[in-house]
Amino acid sequence: MIKQTLLGLAVIIAPVLAFAHSKSEATTPANGATVTEVPELSMRFDDPMRIISVTLTSSDRDVEIERETGMDPATEFRALPLEELTPGSYRFDWRGMASDGHPMQGSFSFTVTE
Ligand SMILES: [Cu+2]
């Protein structure tokens, strides 16, 4: 009986905790998307996020990107690839700090075709 009650509480509390953190709401390209070109990489957050580091990886190598957004907390992050992205799978990883001071990280992936 007690176990059931605790489980019920965990289910109720979990979404509230997740919601307290600023999360990446939408990205360009969208997570899982297949695109023919990538003029820019962007992320939008529901609360300002200080993006500390970003990497774009394809297969086994890092692709050079240049961030357009500074180090100040912002609800939108933007970066440009410094080279045309050749067909393949890409993964964008970011680390940052939420407005409540908690370290956050996330990633999204996309595929480039000809
Ligand atoms: Cu937090």
Side-chain angles (χ1 to χ4, degrees):
M1 195 60 177
I2 290 170
K3 255 187 188 170
Q4 273 187 348
T5 307
L6 286 178
L7 256 174
L9 274 177
V11 169
I12 293 166
I13 289 170
V16 176
L17 285 177
F19 194 68
H21 293 80
S22 184
K23 292 199 132 189
S24 177
E25 286 198 317
T27 63
T28 309
N31 187 35
T34 298
V35 296
T36 52
E37 56 178 8
V38 182
E40 69 166 29
L41 299 140
S42 72
M43 300 187 287
R44 282 172 295 288
F45 298 92
D46 51 4
D47 283 311
M49 178 78 71
R50 183 191 302 278
I51 300 295
I52 294 162
S53 71
V54 290
T55 54
L56 181 63
T57 320
S58 175
S59 328
D60 50 355
R61 72 188 185 94
D62 278 1
V63 179
E64 274 199 88
I65 56 176
E66 182 174 76
R67 51 190 295 167
E68 291 232 293
T69 325
M71 294 297 286
D72 289 336
T75 54
E76 184 160 3
F77 172 89
R78 237 178 17 258
L80 304 177
L82 287 182
E83 55 187 284
E84 196 177 328
L85 299 188
T86 54
S89 308
Y90 291 83
R91 181 187 158 113
F92 183 93
D93 287 278
W94 61 269
R95 301 175 71 87
M97 190 174 287
S99 48
D100 65 3
H102 289 158
M104 301 286 289
Q105 60 182 318
S107 68
F108 62 93
S109 302
F110 57 91
T111 302
V112 175
T113 58
E114 298 203 40

